[in-house]
Amino acid sequence: MGTKIQAVKGMNDLLPVEQKDFKLTASFWQAFEDTVSRWAGRFGYQQIRTPIVEQTGLFVRSIGEETDVVGKEMYTFADSNDKLSLSLRPEGTASCLRAVVEHNLLYNNPQKLWYMGPMFRRERPQKGRYRQFHQVGIEALGFEGPDIDAEIIAMSADLWKELGIRDYLTLEINSLGNREERAAHRAALVAYLSRYEDKLDEDSKRRLYTNPLRVLDSKNPDLQEICNAAPHLTDYLGESSRAHYQQFKAMLDGLNIDYIENPRLVRGLDYYNQTVFEWTTDKLGAQATVCGGGRYDGLIEELGGKPAPSIGFAMGVERLLLLVREYGKLAFQTAPDIYAVHQGEGAVLQVMKYAQALRSDGWRVLQHSGYQSLKTQMKKADASGARFALIVAQSELSDGTVTLKDMSGRHAQVTVDAALLSDTLEQWKNN
């Protein structure tokens, strides 16, 4: 017997049943995907799908060379033929915008796009944080005003309500201003943090001169007092940025969406400007952020397209579904509606015909495979969780009838003409 090969650490299988260390099942996941597709459609967003492998330069240019994602976490390798440096995508926005620019999707109209798929980062696996993880992303491209900022917040709140987790999430917002305003704040921040350089941890010292905003995002409890007293970026906003932020907040107030202003909220990627936000929870331990995003008005131009204001967000699917599984609601069905059993020569083919006809009518039918006793088959029907059992033995086969059993016990077992099969099941289903 060969040596057993296991999945890569931090990359999980989705099985029909719960696993010891990963409780999300494929059926639960599929129900979420169906919900997301309907939800995005209600807001007029169209789906886009991009490759999971891109040129490394795409992420260096968009995310930022000094970020932890590019510097430490990407899966990067050389293409053996073209000698290109390629990377598994660590997030979805850059790939989405690369496709938009490449295919000139913004030529005539703004775009509202959504995507869902796997992302990859090489970091320490823990609950809700994996090396292959999945994101749902929303990107609104070509929209300048604060109304689209408020709309996508309302859009996310709508999904939380549908999933039954709205009460477990808190919205945090901030404004990062424009490039010039961030530069002025950066200079003040570096000057301030330099006074405490001897107290900074190694990560913060490294970030001090490369990405000082990320120091404010430190979770080190020893640095919280220093970070809390640091200069606030909102104090450096000009008239236009301040007006955009104030109008955005007024719209949230008008939509009755509660929020907390967090001056330390900076997000982890370099491309953000103006509005940024996160939906956080205290129900998942250290993994507090379930969804986050903001404006990236300069990114399309950075990737070779014509300048276009843009905003978007991404949610971590695994983290979100852990919250839904524990506290929310997500309707999905794993059991068949009908378990079809057979006994005797010729019965299996007839059952196949009945099953196919029922499936065409929208029923979920699991047909018994093999030639076991009726008693054994009925035990399997019960174990399957099916509401109904369809039985064809020699007597039913000879006179063109079908025996139906309501496994819930609400209706007595009956034998009906095969032509009445679907009608009888519909009556039972609705009573």
Side-chain angles (χ1 to χ4, degrees):
M1 181 182 294
T3 303
K4 189 185 298 183
I5 298 176
Q6 296 183 320
V8 176
K9 184 178 181 182
M11 301 186 182
N12 298 297
D13 299 310
L14 283 174
L15 303 181
V17 295
E18 290 187 358
Q19 304 171 59
K20 179 180 179 182
D21 300 319
F22 191 72
K23 301 296 186 181
L24 303 178
T25 66
S27 297
F28 193 70
W29 198 285
Q30 182 63 55
F32 173 73
E33 291 182 351
D34 293 343
T35 300
V36 165
S37 182
R38 293 191 300 270
W39 160 76
R42 288 201 301 269
F43 284 82
Y45 283 72
Q46 299 182 82
Q47 189 176 29
I48 185 170
R49 302 191 184 196
T50 60
I52 63 171
V53 177
E54 300 274 8
Q55 293 189 43
T56 302
L58 172 66
F59 304 116
V60 173
R61 197 187 303 182
S62 60
I63 298 173
E65 192 166 10
E66 301 299 333
T67 60
D68 287 348
V69 173
V70 171
K72 296 180 178 181
E73 298 171 358
M74 286 204 306
Y75 286 93
T76 298
F77 54 94
D79 184 280
S80 58
N81 294 322
D82 298 332
K83 297 184 179 178
L84 287 173
S85 177
L86 304 178
S87 294
L88 297 177
R89 62 186 183 194
E91 58 96 40
T93 296
S95 293
C96 178
L97 296 197
R98 188 269 310 150
V100 166
V101 171
E102 181 175 343
H103 302 288
N104 208 19
L105 295 185
L106 286 177
Y107 179 73
N108 287 320
N109 296 301
Q111 295 285 333
K112 291 185 175 183
L113 305 173
W114 74 277
Y115 55 83
M116 176 163 39
M119 313 293 164
F120 303 85
R121 296 185 189 180
R122 196 184 189 286
E123 49 189 350
R124 185 172 65 85
Q126 50 190 297
K127 182 180 179 181
R129 196 178 190 95
Y130 308 104
R131 291 178 174 177
Q132 177 178 309
F133 59 101
H134 296 74
Q135 285 185 344
V136 170
I138 292 291
E139 314 290 356
L141 313 177
F143 301 93
E144 187 171 9
D147 56 323
I148 195 68
D149 303 25
E151 179 189 278
I152 69 168
I153 295 290
M155 185 178 183
S156 56
D158 180 80
L159 181 60
W160 311 151
K161 183 178 180 180
E162 184 169 351
L163 295 173
I165 56 172
R166 180 65 185 86
D167 293 341
Y168 303 97
L169 290 166
T170 299
L171 174 63
E172 300 181 14
I173 66 171
N174 193 21
S175 176
L176 301 182
N178 61 32
R179 185 174 299 177
E180 292 75 22
E181 292 156 359
R182 289 198 306 280
H185 172 256
R186 175 190 172 109
L189 182 61
V190 170
Y192 168 79
L193 292 173
S194 296
R195 304 204 307 263
Y196 302 96
E197 189 166 0
D198 59 327
K199 297 182 179 180
L200 300 181
D201 56 31
E202 290 305 313
D203 268 349
S204 296
K205 287 179 180 178
R206 176 175 55 82
R207 291 168 172 165
L208 177 58
Y209 298 103
T210 59
N211 197 359
L213 269 179
R214 294 287 285 130
V215 177
L216 300 181
D217 202 29
S218 173
K219 302 301 187 290
N220 185 339
D222 297 332
L223 300 181
Q224 299 311 299
E225 187 175 345
I226 294 173
C227 292
N228 287 335
H232 291 176
L233 206 159
T234 48
D235 294 334
Y236 292 80
L237 299 183
E239 183 177 346
S240 176
S241 295
R242 193 176 301 278
H244 185 105
Y245 189 46
Q246 294 298 335
Q247 291 173 44
F248 164 62
K249 291 191 292 182
M251 290 179 181
L252 293 184
D253 293 335
L255 293 168
N256 295 317
I257 297 176
D258 296 330
Y259 58 86
I260 295 173
E261 292 189 73
N262 179 0
R264 287 176 53 183
L265 176 58
V266 297
R267 303 292 295 145
L269 308 178
D270 279 359
Y271 53 61
Y272 286 112
N273 69 295
Q274 301 290 359
T275 303
V276 290
F277 63 91
E278 290 183 352
W279 288 95
T280 62
T281 182
D282 59 3
K283 301 298 183 181
L284 296 176
Q287 306 308 314
T289 302
V290 169
C291 171
R295 281 202 162 269
Y296 46 87
D297 291 337
L299 185 54
I300 289 180
E301 183 178 14
E302 184 70 25
L303 296 180
K306 293 182 179 180
S310 305
I311 188 171
F313 66 80
M315 62 187 80
V317 176
E318 285 89 347
R319 204 173 296 177
L320 179 63
L321 289 186
L322 288 173
L323 190 64
V324 174
R325 181 181 175 276
E326 190 68 25
Y327 301 99
K329 60 182 181 182
L330 186 58
F332 67 102
Q333 181 178 349
T334 57
D337 300 312
I338 303 164
Y339 193 98
V341 306
H342 52 85
Q343 188 70 46
E345 185 177 352
V348 63
L349 178 58
Q350 189 59 58
V351 162
M352 282 184 178
K353 293 178 180 179
Y354 292 149
Q356 287 293 84
L358 289 167
R359 292 179 186 121
S360 296
D361 290 339
W363 294 91
R364 296 160 57 96
V365 184
L366 176 58
Q367 181 179 325
H368 183 83
S369 297
Y371 298 90
Q372 296 173 302
S373 68
L374 275 177
K375 182 178 180 181
T376 298
Q377 291 186 53
M378 291 305 295
K379 285 183 179 179
K380 290 185 178 293
D382 187 51
S384 75
R387 167 77 189 278
F388 307 116
L390 181 159
I391 307 165
V392 176
Q394 286 300 295
S395 59
E396 288 87 359
L397 190 61
S398 62
D399 57 15
T401 59
V402 177
T403 296
L404 294 175
K405 181 176 182 179
D406 186 344
M407 306 297 283
S408 70
R410 295 180 208 173
H411 300 89
Q413 180 171 308
V414 297
T415 298
V416 299
D417 189 280
L420 301 176
L421 171 59
S422 186
D423 289 342
T424 304
L425 286 168
E426 283 291 342
Q427 291 173 12
W428 282 12
K429 178 183 176 182
N430 297 320
N431 291 290

